[in-house]
């Protein structure tokens, strides 16, 4: 191994962020987009998602799409590219899709996701199916993000997840040839900034609506919002539906729909579901309350809960069957206590329960548990899980390339003044870091890296001079 490679690897090992936000790598793939853009706007949602109904609730009424950021085809296309692009991380190793994988309902099969430097997140990755349908509009398990537009930028900046400074991200994306045309198509001009990045990512996430599961096909046997489930579900699944929401004359019901309602199977607000007697270690949104994602595609996104403590759906049901803890802020629907009250929204409105109330025990039989699991499996939308509109554009090599191109490597390629200015700025920032390095071997390796990656810049020449001075 050459002396340069030894020093280079030493620099990366000690300061892995150095060769990330300070450089634009040329060897990452470009997106392969269809010649005719995918349709994200004119999507025919079924009537049971569009119209309110006294029996099944109002899914479309929970739509959190803001008026100033409606889904557009160009915006969602850009958002899809950003969602899957590892350039959004500081070291070009991690994308949003690393923790939100399509085949797992845009969640992660790992209990805790692995970030850009191999560290694990503190909570598990939340599924994004039907994220559009949540009336409070807040995001993350603890609802710390007021909107989806706020949420999508937070993992990018998180030191564990993607570790990218937004100022550097803007500069970095401006230096990637295929992004200005995509931003111009989405927003009218090629300007790249964090607001547009946020808006495009939010549009793509809101486009992730599931409506082609076995459950949806069963609903379609009825008229409008009045389904005839008997024609679409088998006997075991029907029993599971009875246990889930009641009303089918097949016996008792656990009424899961009190917390996971409407035909989109969404929650109304964050709740305490009795996971722990005390929640000092993780109090969520306060009082041990956590937001729950839609149950669509729930069967493919194990493990479960904010901390991934349950490995499968049977364990989840067994928790509600016999394991709910008597937390003082336990949701009223899970308590027999007369003093419990079901608050709305955030803050102390969820609190004030009666400590003398006893948690509900469902006492489901194995047959009933099996039926409930079978019903939850009918919410799996296999079309959604392989829909090319939501897939990785950097891996879809069968699609013809449109509006994207690999950066030219020819020496006689025409100069791009904006790109040259961006690279000079990045090189200057890297040079500043190199000058500040206190350990000689790291300083030398960082200077050599600048010379290698920014050879055409004035900053690289200064780095060469510094290296020459060091040798003397």
């Amino acid at each position: 191994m050459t002396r340069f490679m030894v020093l280079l690897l030493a620099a990366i090992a000690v300061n892995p962020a150095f060769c990330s936000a300070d450089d634009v790598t040329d060897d990452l793939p470009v997106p392969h987009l269809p010649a005719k853009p995918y349709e994200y706007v004119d999507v025919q949602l079924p009537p049971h998602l569009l119209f309110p109904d006294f029996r099944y609730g109002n899914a479309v009424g929970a739509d959190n799409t803001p008026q100033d950021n409606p889904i557009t085809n160009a915006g969602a296309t850009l958002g899809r590219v950003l969602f899957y692009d590892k350039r959004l991380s500081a070291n070009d190793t991690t994308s949003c899709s690393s923790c939100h994988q399509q085949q797992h309902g845009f969640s992660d099969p790992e209990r805790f996701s692995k970030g850009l430097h191999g560290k694990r997140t503190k909570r598990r990755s939340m599924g994004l199916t039907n994220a559009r349908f949540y009336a409070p509009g807040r995001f993350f398990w603890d609802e710390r993000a007021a909107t989806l537009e706020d949420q999508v930028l937070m993992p990018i900046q998180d030191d564990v997840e993607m570790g990218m400074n937004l100022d550097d991200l803007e500069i970095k994306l401006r230096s990637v040839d295929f992004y200005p045309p995509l931003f111009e198509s989405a927003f009218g001009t090629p300007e790249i900034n964090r607001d547009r990045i946020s808006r495009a990512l939010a549009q793509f996430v809101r486009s992730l609506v599931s409506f082609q599961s076995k459950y949806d096909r069963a609903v379609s046997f009825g008229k409008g919002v009045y389904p005839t489930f008997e024609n679409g579900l088998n006997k075991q699944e029907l029993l599971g539906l009875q246990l889930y929401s009641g009303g089918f004359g097949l016996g008792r019901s656990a009424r899961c729909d009190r917390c996971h309602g409407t035909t989109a199977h969404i929650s109304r607000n964050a709740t305490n579901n009795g996971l722990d007697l005390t929640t000092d270690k993780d109090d969520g949104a306060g009082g041990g309350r956590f937001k729950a994602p839609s149950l669509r595609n729930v069967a493919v996104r194990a493990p479960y809960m904010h901390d991934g403590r349950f490995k499968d759906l049977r364990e989840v049901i067994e928790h509600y069957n016999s394991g709910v803890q008597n937390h003082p802020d336990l949701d009223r629907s899970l308590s027999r206590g007369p003093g419990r009250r079901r608050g709305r929204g955030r803050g102390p409105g969820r609190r004030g329960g009666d400590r003398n109330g006893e948690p509900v025990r469902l006492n489901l039989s194995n047959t009933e548990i099996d039926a409930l699991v079978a019903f939850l499996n009918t919410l799996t939308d296999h079309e959604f899980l392989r829909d090319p509109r939501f897939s990785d554009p950097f891996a879809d090599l069968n699609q013809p390339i449109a509006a994207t191109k690999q950066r030219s490597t020819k020496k006689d390629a025409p100069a791009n003044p904006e790109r040259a200015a961006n690279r000079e700025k990045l090189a200057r920032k890297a040079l500043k870091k190199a000058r500040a390095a206190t350990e000689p071997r790291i300083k030398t390796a960082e200077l050599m890296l600048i010379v290698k990656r920014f050879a055409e810049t004035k900053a690289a020449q200064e780095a060469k001079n510094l290296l020459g001075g060091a040798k003397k």
Side-chain angles (χ1 to χ4, degrees):
M1 185 179 291
T2 65
R3 179 174 178 272
F4 170 76
M5 286 303 297
V6 171
L7 290 170
L8 181 59
L9 291 173
I12 294 172
V14 174
N15 187 6
F18 169 75
C19 61
S20 52
D22 301 320
D23 190 19
V24 178
T25 55
D26 292 342
D27 55 353
L28 290 175
V30 299
H32 291 253
L33 302 175
K36 181 181 180 182
Y38 288 131
E39 184 62 56
Y40 296 94
V41 178
D42 190 19
V43 177
Q44 293 300 116
L45 297 179
H48 58 273
L49 287 181
L50 293 175
F51 303 111
D53 171 61
F54 76 94
R55 177 67 178 83
Y56 297 103
N58 184 4
V60 73
D63 192 335
N64 55 54
T65 304
Q67 290 185 353
D68 62 352
N69 193 32
I71 297 172
T72 66
N73 289 333
T77 296
L78 170 59
R80 176 187 171 218
V81 174
L82 291 166
F83 187 88
Y84 282 97
D85 195 350
K86 294 180 179 180
R87 294 174 180 86
L88 270 67
S89 66
N91 60 2
D92 297 333
T93 63
T94 308
S95 69
C96 303
S97 66
S98 299
C99 304
H100 298 279
Q101 301 167 25
Q102 182 180 14
Q103 67 269 35
H104 298 290
F106 288 94
S107 183
D108 191 340
E110 297 283 338
R111 182 175 181 182
F112 301 110
S113 300
K114 186 182 294 186
L116 78 167
H117 299 313
K119 293 183 179 179
R120 296 286 180 173
T121 54
K122 294 181 180 179
R123 297 186 182 126
R124 74 170 267 91
S125 172
M126 178 179 279
L128 299 180
T129 306
N130 286 356
R132 166 181 167 184
F133 299 124
Y134 184 63
R138 306 191 72 91
F139 284 84
F140 289 114
W141 293 100
D142 59 7
E143 299 199 317
R144 65 186 182 274
T147 66
L148 181 55
E149 283 72 12
D150 292 337
Q151 186 276 330
V152 292
L153 294 180
M154 293 183 182
I156 295 173
Q157 301 170 79
D158 187 271
D159 290 339
V160 171
E161 297 185 57
M162 299 171 77
M164 193 68 178
N165 178 287
L166 293 181
D167 291 332
D168 291 345
L169 179 60
E170 292 174 349
I171 295 170
K172 190 176 186 181
L173 296 188
R174 289 168 192 156
S175 300
V176 180
D177 288 349
F178 60 78
Y179 270 120
L182 289 174
F183 274 85
E184 183 170 15
S185 179
F187 298 108
T189 69
E191 179 186 359
I192 298 175
N193 58 46
R194 67 198 65 188
D195 177 65
R196 289 181 168 188
I197 294 169
S198 162
R199 287 155 62 89
L201 279 168
Q203 287 186 42
F204 175 69
V205 172
R206 286 198 181 95
S207 75
L208 304 176
V209 176
S210 169
F211 58 92
Q212 298 184 82
S213 66
K214 183 175 184 178
Y215 171 86
D216 294 293
R217 292 193 296 274
V219 173
S220 69
F221 283 110
K223 295 181 179 179
V225 294
Y226 301 100
T228 308
F229 286 108
E230 292 84 349
N231 294 328
L233 302 181
N234 63 37
K235 186 175 180 180
Q236 184 184 47
E237 293 161 349
L238 278 172
L239 175 58
L241 176 58
Q242 166 71 33
L243 290 163
Y244 185 91
S245 58
F248 294 92
L250 299 176
R252 64 193 180 119
S253 176
R255 293 308 304 272
C256 310
D257 63 327
R258 289 175 177 170
C259 293
H260 305 280
T262 81
T263 52
H265 303 91
I266 53 176
S267 58
R268 290 184 293 179
N269 43 37
T271 60
N272 182 317
N273 64 341
L275 290 173
D276 299 292
L277 192 59
T278 61
T279 50
D280 295 339
K281 292 183 179 180
D282 190 346
D283 203 32
R289 296 178 301 116
F290 292 92
K291 175 183 177 179
S294 166
L295 295 188
R296 290 306 187 98
N297 295 312
V298 66
V300 300
R301 62 168 197 255
Y304 301 101
M305 305 299 164
H306 67 281
D307 56 6
R309 67 178 66 189
F310 300 133
K311 71 177 186 294
D312 56 36
L313 288 174
R314 287 192 67 88
E315 287 193 1
V316 174
I317 296 170
E318 190 54 51
H319 162 71
Y320 294 108
N321 200 32
S322 60
V324 175
Q325 299 297 300
N326 194 20
H327 191 284
D329 295 307
L330 180 65
D331 190 83
R332 187 182 68 180
S333 65
L334 297 174
S335 172
R336 295 191 183 93
R340 303 283 185 184
R341 61 190 179 93
R342 187 184 185 110
R344 296 296 181 92
R346 294 169 61 80
R350 298 292 303 173
R351 307 185 180 192
D354 180 1
R355 285 181 176 271
N356 295 320
E358 291 298 323
V360 167
R361 298 287 183 252
L362 299 178
N363 297 316
L364 299 175
S365 67
N366 285 329
T367 298
E368 289 172 320
I369 292 175
D370 289 341
L372 198 46
V373 169
F375 169 71
L376 292 173
N377 272 277
T378 70
L379 304 182
T380 301
D381 184 344
H382 296 285
E383 296 301 318
F384 175 94
L385 298 177
R386 56 176 177 256
D387 193 327
R389 295 179 303 144
F390 308 141
S391 65
D392 184 355
F394 296 95
D396 189 5
L397 301 181
N398 294 320
Q399 290 288 353
I401 298 176
T404 62
K405 59 189 179 69
Q406 188 81 294
R407 182 179 296 130
S408 174
T409 56
K410 296 180 180 179
K411 293 183 179 180
D412 58 350
N416 184 327
E418 183 179 359
R419 178 174 181 271
N422 283 336
R423 286 183 60 78
E424 186 69 48
K425 186 174 181 179
L426 290 168
R428 287 285 166 195
K429 187 170 182 180
L431 183 60
K432 183 178 179 181
K433 279 188 178 181
R435 290 179 185 274
T438 57
E439 190 173 342
R441 69 185 182 90
I442 297 302
K443 181 189 289 286
T444 300
E446 291 183 344
L447 290 171
M448 294 175 74
L449 194 57
I450 294 169
V451 172
K452 176 177 174 61
R453 294 197 168 184
F454 299 99
E456 80 283 6
T457 66
K458 294 180 180 179
Q461 185 58 52
E462 291 182 32
K464 274 186 183 179
N465 295 338
L466 290 172
L467 284 169
K471 290 178 181 178
K472 294 179 181 178

